[in-house]
Amino acid sequence: MKNIQLWDGNNEVRLTAYLLDNSQEFNTNRNRPAVIVCPGGAYLWTSDREAEPVALRFAAQGYHVFVLRYTTHYTSRPDFQNMLPGNPNSKHPQPLFDLAKAILTVRQQAAEWFIDTDKIAVCGFSAGGHLAASLGAHWQDEFVTAMLQADKNLLKPSALILGYPLIDYILLKEEADADQSEAARGIKAHVNIAAFGTADPEPEELIKRSPVNYVTSNMPPTYIWHTADDALVYAANALRLAAALAKHKVPYELHVFESGVHGLSLSNETTAAEPAHVNPHCEIWVELAMKWLSKRF
C-alpha cells in the first residue's frame, strides 16, 4: 500500500494504492491492468464502504487498484440529521481535476508499478459515478488538459464502471420536486450546494454539469449497473446514459436489477452498514463487471 498526495499543500486529496507484489516466482515483471475507484458520498464526503472493500475485490482478480479521495465539502460523513447549510462555494470542477491528476499519476508511474497504460479503468459509485462519467466525457477538453498541462491521451480512461451513477442533474431536480420525504429532499439540496454553491441552481447549470449531455464517440466503453427502485438516484440516469452511448456507438453493458436501495456497494456483508445493503440478487454485479472488463482488457 502507498498513500500518494496528488497536489502540493493539500493532503486531503490523495490516492491510496494497492499494488500487487512483483513476484519473482511467477508473472515476474508483468504489466497488470489497473482500476481507480471513486467512492460516492454526494460530493459531501467519500464513502469508506465504496473504497477499500471494492479495491480489495479488484486486487483479488489481479488488478492494481487506487482509491481516490477527491475534493468534497467534508473529510468524513456529515451528520445529516443536524447538518447546517453547506459552504456556498461550489467545489466543482476540482473533483474532475483530482481524477484527471490521479489517472495521469498512475500512467506516469506505470513503469515502476508494472501497470499496462492501455488498461486503466475508472470505477465510480453514485457521485463517484458522476465523477468517473465526467472524466469519460471531458478528458479531451481544453479546460482539463490545460489545468493538468498534459497530453489529452494520458487522461483518457480505458473503460468506465459506474454503479448507480448520478448522470443527469435535471433528473435529480425532478426527483427532489416529486419526493415528499423531507430527509431525501434535504440531502438532495445539499448535493446541489456541493455541486453548484446553491440549493436551487439554474437549469442551465444543471445541464452544464450533467455528463449525459457530453457523450460523444470519444467516451470510453462503459459498464453500468443500477436498481429499478433506487429512491435517491433514479434508474433513469442509467437508462439515459445507455441511450446516449448507443446513439454514439460506444460499447456499453447495462444491468438494472429489480430492487435494491441506493449505495449497495458490493451488496454483501463486507460493505453493509444496514441490513438493506445485503442484497444477494444484486451482488452478481461484481462478477459481471469483472467478466466485462476482462473481455475488454
Side-chain angles (χ1 to χ4, degrees), residues 197-245:
T198 174
D200 190 23
E202 295 295 324
E204 293 79 7
E205 284 296 308
L206 298 176
I207 293 169
K208 181 180 177 181
R209 294 275 172 77
S210 300
V212 71
N213 297 320
Y214 298 92
V215 173
T216 68
S217 59
N218 290 322
M219 196 85 167
T222 303
Y223 175 98
I224 315 161
W225 73 279
H226 218 116
T227 57
D229 61 354
D230 187 323
L232 193 58
V233 175
Y234 287 6
N237 281 267
L239 300 176
R240 288 190 182 181
L241 178 58
L245 294 169

Side-chain angles (χ1 to χ4, degrees), residues 123-157:
C123 174
F125 300 86
S126 193
H130 174 273
L131 178 55
S134 295
L135 183 63
H138 294 295
W139 60 270
Q140 74 279 11
D141 289 357
E142 185 177 0
F143 81 97
V144 179
T145 59
M147 176 65 183
L148 275 296
Q149 292 291 295
D151 184 307
K152 63 183 181 181
N153 294 307
L154 296 176
L155 307 180
K156 183 180 182 180

Side-chain angles (χ1 to χ4, degrees), residues 46-68:
T46 52
S47 170
D48 291 341
R49 296 179 49 251
E50 295 160 345
E52 183 174 84
V54 177
L56 295 179
R57 282 294 297 272
F58 278 104
Q61 295 299 314
Y63 293 87
H64 294 307
V65 193
F66 303 82
V67 173
L68 174 63

Side-chain angles (χ1 to χ4, degrees), residues 138-196:
H138 294 295
W139 60 270
Q140 74 279 11
D141 289 357
E142 185 177 0
F143 81 97
V144 179
T145 59
M147 176 65 183
L148 275 296
Q149 292 291 295
D151 184 307
K152 63 183 181 181
N153 294 307
L154 296 176
L155 307 180
K156 183 180 182 180
S158 308
L160 302 176
I161 298 175
L162 309 178
Y164 37 90
L166 171 59
I167 295 296
D168 189 340
Y169 275 109
I170 292 291
L171 273 176
L172 188 71
K173 176 175 171 53
E174 292 173 356
E175 295 167 23
D177 291 344
D179 199 328
Q180 300 304 309
S181 165
E182 183 177 347
R185 294 183 67 170
I187 291 173
K188 289 173 182 177
H190 282 284
V191 171
N192 282 337
I193 289 171
F196 303 100

Side-chain angles (χ1 to χ4, degrees), residues 265-280:
S265 188
L266 296 179
S267 306
N268 60 22
E269 291 85 352
T270 307
T271 56
E274 57 186 66
H277 290 150
V278 179
N279 189 322

